[in-house]
Amino acid sequence: NAGVMQNPRHLVRRRGQEARLRCSPMKGHSHVYWYRQLPEEGLKFMVYLQKENIIDESGMPKERFSAEFPKEGPSILRIQQVVRGDSAAYFCASSLTSPTNTGELFFGEGSRLTVL
Amino acid sequence: DAKTTQPNSMESNEEEPVHLPCNHSTISGTDYIHWYRQLPSQGPEYVIHGLTSNVNNRMASLAIAEDRKSSTLILHRATLRDAAVYYCILRDVPGGTSYGKLTFGQGTILTVHP
């Protein structure tokens, strides 16, 4: 029973390149969340997705960042034209949610992006 | 979003109980109290959650004040592996406008001494 799988675990990009971070939720989970943790800071919510839908993207930067969770395949967080300030750990979480379940989020081990 | 207040850091000795406090004086009636912890270089890990009644699981206990304005996470016997940042979070009910968005504060850094 694999947990939340994120890849790559470490990614190095030069300024201006694109970064793609992948997240496979736990089996049976249809809700995915992305969080960012800047160096020496707390975790910040970015986006909440269900299959093929963005439910809440209030934490996503308005430009260069996008997220998707297609019907088939992993969730993708895409960062275009990366800048040094994008260097951070990006965590994905998933949950099994029903209208009566305030269940826990299961987090992956994170993808650590370094922008040179 | 309702805010929580936690001490920046706490220390404990191994094998001793640890009580981690959290104040949430502006909690709404539909907010659940969740606790997560983050070990060094890892993603957060769910610990426990509750609404009104005290809760126990294999990891910890959660004591919730009668007025729900504060709660305490109790680790009954701290081990070195419990050294982590502990986050107290208020979460909306499913279908609530902010349900998917956990707001992590700075948390409490717990140091466990051998």
Side-chain angles (χ1 to χ4, degrees):
Chain A
N1 188 13
V4 176
M5 304 300 291
Q6 291 189 247
N7 68 83
R9 294 290 312 280
H10 299 274
L11 181 64
V12 179
R13 284 288 179 265
R14 296 191 181 279
R15 282 179 297 169
Q17 291 184 318
E18 179 179 287
R20 283 191 180 223
L21 309 178
R22 296 174 195 79
C23 170
S24 295
M26 287 184 69
K27 187 176 181 180
H29 287 192
S30 60
H31 298 252
V32 164
Y33 315 76
W34 286 93
Y35 286 77
R36 177 167 67 173
Q37 188 168 34
L38 295 167
E40 306 304 323
E41 293 190 18
L43 290 119
K44 303 293 184 189
F45 168 82
M46 298 183 76
V47 63
Y48 165 33
L49 310 104
Q50 294 180 25
K51 282 287 187 182
E52 300 185 277
N53 290 307
I54 296 175
I55 305 302
D56 182 352
E57 57 180 348
S58 58
M60 286 278 274
K62 294 287 185 270
E63 298 179 349
R64 301 188 298 106
F65 285 72
S66 63
E68 63 177 9
F69 187 19
K71 186 176 180 181
E72 302 290 340
S75 175
I76 306 287
L77 180 67
R78 182 184 178 202
I79 311 171
Q80 296 177 288
Q81 300 177 320
V82 296
V83 301
R84 288 212 174 108
D86 297 332
S87 296
Y90 292 83
F91 291 96
C92 171
S94 72
S95 72
L96 174 63
T97 306
S98 70
T100 57
N101 181 6
T102 57
E104 62 196 270
L105 268 62
F106 293 84
F107 282 83
E109 295 194 351
S111 291
R112 283 155 180 82
L113 172 65
T114 301
V115 180
L116 302 177
Chain B
D1 293 336
K3 288 186 63 175
T4 62
T5 306
Q6 300 177 251
N8 289 333
S9 62
M10 291 186 67
E11 297 187 17
S12 173
N13 294 318
E14 209 175 0
E15 303 287 314
E16 291 183 355
V18 181
H19 290 232
L20 297 163
C22 180
N23 288 320
H24 29 79
S25 58
T26 59
I27 189 171
S28 75
T30 57
D31 283 333
Y32 280 75
I33 302 159
H34 285 244
W35 283 81
Y36 282 76
R37 71 180 185 181
Q38 187 175 20
L39 279 65
S41 301
Q42 294 190 26
E45 174 187 32
Y46 167 85
V47 178
I48 200 166
H49 78 279
L51 183 62
T52 56
S53 303
N54 295 345
V55 183
N56 299 296
N57 67 20
R58 63 175 180 80
M59 288 181 70
S61 296
L62 177 60
I64 301 173
E66 199 168 328
D67 63 3
R68 300 207 330 123
K69 293 183 185 297
S70 66
S71 61
T72 302
L73 179 71
I74 302 165
L75 306 179
H76 295 285
R77 292 180 65 192
T79 69
L80 296 178
R81 292 185 69 252
D82 290 323
V85 181
Y86 286 77
Y87 298 99
C88 169
I89 300 165
L90 301 182
R91 188 178 189 192
D92 204 352
V93 293
T97 56
S98 62
Y99 172 71
K101 180 176 162 180
L102 296 187
T103 300
F104 287 80
Q106 293 302 307
T108 297
I109 300 171
L110 175 64
T111 301
V112 180
H113 299 288

